[in-house]
Structure formats: C-alpha cells, structure tokens
Amino acid sequence: MNAASFRVRIAVLSGGITAGLLVLVLAVVWQASRRSELARMDRELVQFGQPHLERVNGVEHWRRLDATRRSNMGHDGEVPYILQASERDRLLHQSAHWPPGLLEAGLAPPGRFDAALVPDPESSPPPPPRRSEPISRANPALPRRAPAFATVDDGGREWRVATLGNPYVTLHVGTDMGRLEEALRDLRRGGVGAVVVGHEQGGGGGGGG
C-alpha cells in the first residue's frame, strides 16, 4: 500500500468516525430534548388544572374555564387542548372537541393523595371549603391527588393528558402532541445540518494531510 492510498483510507475512516460520533451525540441530545419538552408540557397542564381543584366547582365553572382557555389561546377552529371534569360518576363538562373514545384509549388513573396529609380521603373526604370565604388555614383547600400522565392516540392525533383530582372531582386536561413533535422536527433539521457539516469538515481535514 503506497502512502497516498493510506492517507485516503485514513481520511475516509476519520470522516466516518466523526459522522458516527455526531449522529450519536444528536441522538442523545434529541432524547434529552424530548424528555425536557414533555416535562414542560406536563408542568403546563398541572399549572393550568390544579388551582381549580382547591374547591368543588360546578358545571358553569368548568364551562367558563374551557371557553376562557380557548379565547386566551386565540384558536377559533381546532384547539390543541382538551378538558373533561367529572364529579364521581357524573360528567360536569367536556370540551366540544373531546375525541370520541379517548377514555378507552388508556388515560392514566388518578394519582394518590399524600397519606401523611390525608389519611383516608376516599372513605371520609374532608368537607369542601366554604364558598363565601377565601382559602385559608381556617378554610383549607381540598387535598389534591398527585398528577398522572399518559400519551394516548385517538386514532388520528396524539394527546398528552394529565389526570388530576381532589376527593370529589377528577379532571383530565390534555394537549396536542403535535406541539412537541414540531419542536423536535426543528431540532432534527438543525441536527442533520450539523452532521453534514461535521462530516464534510472531518473528510476535508483528513484529505489535507
């Protein structure tokens, strides 16, 4: 093997290793970014729903909340979120665009209460706060369940759904997973560009020796 052929092989090997490392780094970054985006979506769902579970709220409250959320998000057509509230076995409110069959698709069951704070809320739920008074130590908020999350497919769209609740009400709040996928597509496009540039730089650097 002459020196020129050896240098070519080294350059090709170097470029391949560089591209492989870049692909590996991209995969790790993509997975970490997906987990981060998913965690952010989960936090948004909890921050939206939990404050409305301090009390026992009726049909009109959930209807107004749904309408306000839609108005604030500026969506007149398809809305990238869904809401359903029920008290025991009675449906209080459900978004008009709630996908049929979504409950059967496998939503997460309600999480547990903190046993240290609420010994037995199922068999002996605390009384709801008095509506005429603000939440305070003398008029405490209802205990709330730990949030539970699930990614479910309604047959045409994926949703990230948080299941929240207190001893009386179960609340499902969901958002379209398309938001997350769009952010990840941007990341993938940028990552592919980095791999191509890195591969060219690796090959060019090896060939110049």
Side-chain angles (χ1 to χ4, degrees):
M1 181 186 299
N2 58 39
S5 175
F6 179 75
R7 283 197 299 270
V8 169
R9 292 193 177 193
I10 290 296
V12 170
L13 179 61
S14 175
I17 291 173
T18 300
L21 289 174
L22 285 171
V23 169
L24 179 61
V25 169
L26 176 60
V28 171
V29 170
W30 184 84
Q31 289 292 341
S33 298
R34 193 179 195 282
R35 287 193 297 269
S36 176
E37 283 295 310
L38 201 58
R40 182 184 61 79
M41 292 174 70
D42 290 347
R43 286 194 302 271
E44 287 181 357
L45 293 173
V46 172
Q47 289 167 3
F48 170 67
Q50 285 283 42
H52 301 278
L53 294 167
E54 292 182 339
R55 302 175 181 268
V56 174
N57 292 303
V59 173
E60 281 304 314
H61 176 89
W62 300 111
R63 189 176 295 162
R64 286 196 304 269
L65 180 64
D66 199 357
T68 300
R69 178 74 164 175
R70 176 170 179 162
S71 174
N72 288 345
M73 295 184 72
H75 288 273
D76 296 322
E78 292 189 5
V79 182
Y81 95 99
I82 49 179
L83 178 152
Q84 184 196 75
S86 58
E87 186 174 352
R88 306 294 168 83
D89 294 326
R90 182 172 72 98
L91 181 65
L92 297 173
H93 177 75
Q94 180 172 285
S95 299
H97 49 282
W98 181 275
L102 192 63
L103 289 177
E104 290 77 13
L107 296 184
R112 296 180 178 275
F113 293 100
D114 186 337
L117 300 176
V118 189
D120 192 6
E122 299 292 354
S123 62
S124 180
R130 295 178 290 278
R131 292 186 177 278
S132 59
E133 300 177 23
I135 298 296
S136 66
R137 182 173 295 181
N139 189 42
L142 287 169
R144 280 156 287 180
R145 296 178 181 275
F149 305 95
T151 300
V152 292
D153 191 330
D154 65 3
R157 178 183 291 186
E158 269 196 325
W159 297 91
R160 183 67 171 178
V161 182
T163 301
L164 313 170
N166 61 36
Y168 299 90
V169 174
T170 297
L171 176 64
H172 299 294
V173 186
T175 188
D176 187 351
M177 286 287 288
R179 297 169 53 202
L180 181 143
E181 296 304 328
E182 184 177 348
L184 293 179
R185 278 195 298 271
D186 292 341
L187 175 65
R188 282 196 295 268
R189 282 194 291 267
V192 169
V195 169
V196 171
V197 170
H199 178 68
E200 290 176 349
Q201 290 177 344

